[in-house]
């Protein structure tokens, strides 16, 4: 064998091989992520924990349930909790290690210091597969609050952006 071929084989053997098998209908996915923010004096701090469970309808489409729990610690006040539960649908693009996705979610928000109401909006994100079944994810959501369907049309422009990062795992049905 020539020297170039031997060198190529040696380098290839040293690189981690990541073979990401495409999801199939019925595969399930679980994620766990978090976010946080503080003002410049750390007088008002919010920590968020987010998890989701989803199932693939085919190799690109997924639906599921997403849960978020927030803890707010404001100076001079006790810690306050709120949360949201929503159903989501995401469409994944491409194949391989990096898969962007777009989607939509709708659900409810509830807690100690929030008006219990409906919420919904679009989302966009990316998954980077570090192993066949394990990935790192980042997502941005635009969420707006509404009390009824007609209220949703009027309130869309009054939403806010939410960001999260996390890890996930996919379980195959076969």
């Amino acid at each position: 064998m020539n020297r170039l071929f031997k060198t190529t084989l040696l380098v290839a053997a040293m690189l981690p091989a990541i073979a990401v098998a495409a999801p199939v209908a019925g595969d399930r996915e679980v994620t766990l992520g978090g976010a946080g923010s503080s003002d410049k004096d750390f007088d008002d701090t919010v920590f968020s924990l987010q998890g989701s469970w989803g199932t693939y309808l085919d190799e690109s489409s997924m639906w599921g349930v997403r849960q978020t729990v927030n803890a707010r610690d404001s100076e001079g006040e006790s810690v306050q909790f709120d949360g949201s539960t929503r159903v989501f649908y995401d469409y994944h693009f491409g194949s391989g290690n990096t898969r962007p996705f777009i989607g939509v979610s709708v659900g409810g928000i509830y807690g100690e210091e929030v008006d219990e109401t409906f919420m919904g909006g679009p989302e966009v994100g990316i998954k980077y597969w570090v192993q066949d079944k394990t990935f790192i994810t980042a997502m941005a959501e635009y969420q707006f609050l509404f009390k009824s369907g007609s209220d949703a049309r009027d309130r869309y422009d009054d939403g806010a952006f939410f960001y999260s990062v996390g890890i996930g795992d996919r379980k195959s049905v076969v």
Side-chain angles (χ1 to χ4, degrees):
M1 286 199 251
N2 68 31
R3 175 178 255 166
L4 178 60
F5 183 72
K6 287 180 183 179
T7 303
T8 302
L9 283 177
L10 181 62
V11 170
M14 291 167 36
L15 293 175
I18 300 175
V20 178
V24 297
D27 281 3
R28 289 173 179 74
E29 197 172 275
V30 175
T31 65
L32 182 61
S37 66
S38 294
D39 65 3
K40 65 181 176 95
D41 297 322
F42 292 93
D43 293 334
D44 191 23
T45 301
V46 177
F47 291 105
S48 299
L49 183 62
Q50 178 172 288
S52 69
W53 172 89
T55 187
Y56 281 89
L57 303 171
D58 59 34
E59 69 180 38
S60 298
S61 299
M62 174 199 270
W63 80 272
V65 177
R66 193 168 282 126
Q67 177 68 47
T68 302
V69 176
N70 303 309
R72 177 181 299 272
D73 184 17
S74 299
E75 185 175 0
E77 296 182 25
S78 61
V79 176
Q80 299 169 350
F81 294 92
D82 63 67
S84 66
T85 304
R86 52 215 185 275
V87 176
F88 70 89
Y89 170 83
D90 289 338
Y91 184 85
H92 298 79
F93 297 93
S95 60
N97 294 355
T98 305
R99 294 196 72 197
F101 62 90
I102 60 170
V104 64
S105 68
V106 64
I109 186 170
Y110 43 86
E112 297 174 347
E113 293 295 320
V114 298
D115 289 332
E116 295 181 357
T117 188
F118 296 108
M119 66 185 301
E123 55 192 38
V124 62
I126 192 164
K127 293 176 182 171
Y128 178 75
W129 297 87
V130 294
Q131 292 184 0
D132 187 38
K133 307 286 184 186
T134 306
F135 59 90
I136 299 168
T137 184
M139 184 173 65
E141 301 176 75
Y142 179 78
Q143 295 288 339
F144 61 98
L145 307 176
F146 58 95
K147 298 275 186 191
S148 66
S150 61
D151 189 36
R153 288 189 296 274
D154 298 336
R155 302 285 310 268
Y156 182 80
D157 291 337
D158 298 329
F161 287 95
F162 297 92
Y163 309 96
S164 62
V165 294
I167 59 171
D169 187 63
R170 180 171 50 101
K171 301 290 184 205
S172 297
V173 293
V174 266

